[in-house]
């Protein structure tokens, strides 16, 4: 398969279809493909609604291949690409979907290759990215984890970020302050303990991301680090990762079908008991009993995992109240 054929296959991939052979062909022809990818990135940066669905598909796979190939010349383009609002139903989320929250930390880490200064500049910039700034912070913490930077340098970055987040109060910066507090506790940056605890009375934390009570406790049970947990994948494989997502989606669908079958079986049993001649057919319930044992319709879950959370946070349900 040549590059032209591969891009045609990728452009027309749908749903859970994973164009494995085409992705491998792009990797083989990377030096020829990358200038085209860079042009797509530039077009998206100039107008994030200007790409066709086919171009968006190529942008998606091409950008994530940067993480697998650790293509460091693309760092600046990556940071520009993700320098925009990235909440649910934004153009960048429309292209990258769950990858915005699940894979950008790996992308920034692998393409950044120790350039924590560039990541730090991205984090304090005035653009409206929220999840991606948090991912960039994770990438810097991971560089500390592997010894690329020492604690003194990490503390300098954290001080700079926190000052920027506090300078302009906003819901985005509240989210980032919470994410930063979480990481500081996990990596035992106790120099910031009093500063974060002092912020607890100013309503500056996003309670859905990290609660004030957790900040005040300044303690976390032993948890795997960013690299140990796989949040940041040092040896990222795009095909394996996307295949695991497809498998998870199929498992979720099977679970839903199983629940539907159980529900139908329960209904059949109920009907047999309550129907004419059934064991419970003569039991009558008064209005009070019915009301006391009813479940309000409004309390039933109606939000999908990838839908906007009903609490109004602007985040996906699975990244908010589902957690």
């Amino acid at each position: 398969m040549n590059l032209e054929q591969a891009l045609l296959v990728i452009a027309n991939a749908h749903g859970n279809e994973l164009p494995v052979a085409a992705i491998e062909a792009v990797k083989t022809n990377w030096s020829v493909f990358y200038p085209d990818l860079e042009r797509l990135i530039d077009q998206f940066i100039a107008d994030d609604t200007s790409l066709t669905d086919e171009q968006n598909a190529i942008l998606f796979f091409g950008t994530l291949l940067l993480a697998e190939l650790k293509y460091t010349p693309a760092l600046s383009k990556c940071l520009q690409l993700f320098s925009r609002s990235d909440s649910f139903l934004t153009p960048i989320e429309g292209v990258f979907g769950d990858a915005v929250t699940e894979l950008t930390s790996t992308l920034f880490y692998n393409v950044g290759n120790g350039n924590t200064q560039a990541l730090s500049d991205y984090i304090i910039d005035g653009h409206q990215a929220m999840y991606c700034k948090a991912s960039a912070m994770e990438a810097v913490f991971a560089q500390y984890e592997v010894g690329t930077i020492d604690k003194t340098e990490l503390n300098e970055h954290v001080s700079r970020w926190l000052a920027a987040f506090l300078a302009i109060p906003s819901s985005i910066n509240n989210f980032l302050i919470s994410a930063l507090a979480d990481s500081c506790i996990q990596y035992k940056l106790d120099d910031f303990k009093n500063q974060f605890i002092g912020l607890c009375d100013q309503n500056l934390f996003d309670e859905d991301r990290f609660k004030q009570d957790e900040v005040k406790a300044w303690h976390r049970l032993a948890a795997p680090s960013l690299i140990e947990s796989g949040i940041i994948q040092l040896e990222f494989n795009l095909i394996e990762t996307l295949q695991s997502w497809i498998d998870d989606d199929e498992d979720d669908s099977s679970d839903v079908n199983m629940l539907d079958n159980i529900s139908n079986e329960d209904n059949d049993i109920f009907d047999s008991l309550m129907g004419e001649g059934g064991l419970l057919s003569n039991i009558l319930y008064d209005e009070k009993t019915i009301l006391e044992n009813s479940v309000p319709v409004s309390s039933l879950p109606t939000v999908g995992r990838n839908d906007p959370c009903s609490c109004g946070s602007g985040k996906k349900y699975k990244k908010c109240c589902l957690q």
Side-chain angles (χ1 to χ4, degrees):
M1 183 183 296
N2 61 35
L3 180 59
E4 184 178 354
Q5 292 168 330
L7 295 179
L8 185 62
V9 171
I10 289 173
N12 290 282
H14 299 290
N16 283 344
E17 180 183 352
L18 186 58
V20 175
I23 292 171
E24 294 294 347
V26 169
K27 289 162 60 176
T28 301
N29 295 276
W30 183 257
S31 61
V32 178
F33 167 70
Y34 180 70
D36 290 336
L37 175 62
E38 194 170 80
R39 282 190 286 272
L40 279 181
I41 292 174
D42 286 337
Q43 183 178 340
F44 189 91
I45 291 169
D47 182 353
D48 56 18
T49 62
S50 65
L51 272 61
T52 65
D53 290 343
E54 291 76 16
Q55 289 174 317
N56 282 336
I58 295 171
L59 179 63
F60 171 82
F61 287 105
T63 301
L64 295 182
L65 278 175
L66 295 171
E68 178 174 333
L69 300 175
K70 301 181 180 180
Y71 195 70
T72 56
L75 177 60
S76 176
K77 290 297 181 184
C78 281
L79 296 179
Q80 291 178 61
L81 176 63
F82 290 98
S83 293
R84 65 199 66 250
S85 178
D86 53 14
S87 58
F88 193 63
L89 295 180
T90 55
I92 197 75
E93 196 273 343
V95 174
F96 290 94
D98 286 351
V100 169
T101 54
E102 308 295 333
L103 298 180
T104 47
S105 54
T106 292
L107 174 67
F108 292 154
Y109 179 91
N110 285 341
V111 177
N113 192 33
N115 190 347
T116 57
Q117 189 60 51
L119 294 172
S120 189
D121 290 344
Y122 167 84
I123 290 163
I124 67 166
D125 200 2
H127 59 80
Q128 297 300 299
M130 180 172 72
Y131 295 123
C132 291
K133 282 187 176 183
S135 293
M137 289 194 296
E138 290 179 337
V140 174
F141 272 95
Q143 293 291 354
Y144 168 69
E145 186 178 328
V146 300
T148 303
I149 60 175
D150 59 21
K151 193 170 186 176
T152 298
E153 187 172 349
L154 179 62
N155 283 348
E156 290 174 356
H157 286 311
V158 171
S159 295
R160 188 181 184 212
W161 303 339
L162 188 54
F165 300 156
L166 293 172
I168 305 176
S170 68
S171 59
I172 292 175
N173 284 339
N174 289 354
F175 176 89
L176 294 170
I177 290 170
S178 299
L180 183 56
D182 187 5
S183 293
C184 285
I185 293 172
Q186 181 177 11
Y187 285 89
K188 297 180 172 57
L189 299 190
D190 294 338
D191 291 345
F192 296 94
K193 176 179 179 180
N194 292 336
Q195 188 172 4
F196 275 110
I197 291 176
L199 297 175
C200 288
D201 296 328
Q202 301 181 38
N203 296 319
L204 292 176
F205 291 93
D206 182 330
E207 290 286 301
D208 293 325
R209 175 59 183 82
F210 198 64
K211 299 184 183 300
Q212 286 191 169
D213 289 345
E214 296 175 285
V215 177
K216 292 176 181 177
W218 201 258
H219 173 74
R220 283 187 61 180
L221 297 175
S225 63
L226 289 163
I227 294 173
E228 291 172 340
S229 65
I231 291 175
I232 289 183
Q233 303 175 51
L234 304 189
E235 300 303 325
F236 175 67
N237 184 291
L238 176 58
I239 292 173
E240 289 180 2
T241 298
L242 295 183
Q243 186 60 58
S244 70
W245 288 11
I246 292 171
D247 293 342
D248 288 343
D249 285 344
E250 291 174 350
D251 289 342
D252 288 343
S253 297
S254 297
D255 290 342
V256 170
N257 291 334
M258 181 178 68
L259 290 173
D260 287 342
N261 291 335
I262 292 173
S263 177
N264 290 333
E265 291 172 4
D266 288 343
N267 287 336
D268 291 340
I269 294 171
F270 181 81
D271 290 342
S272 69
L273 292 173
M274 296 300 294
E276 184 176 354
L279 293 176
L280 304 180
S281 59
N282 292 324
I283 295 179
L284 298 177
Y285 294 100
D286 59 27
E287 183 178 359
K288 180 180 179 182
T289 303
I290 293 173
L291 290 174
E292 287 177 348
N293 290 278
S294 296
V295 178
V297 173
S298 60
S299 70
L300 297 175
T302 59
V303 182
R305 286 170 53 82
N306 290 302
D307 292 338
C309 191
S310 58
C311 74
S313 65
K315 306 170 192 173
K316 290 187 179 183
Y317 177 53
K318 69 180 181 182
K319 289 293 178 182
C320 192
C321 293
L322 180 61
Q323 294 183 330

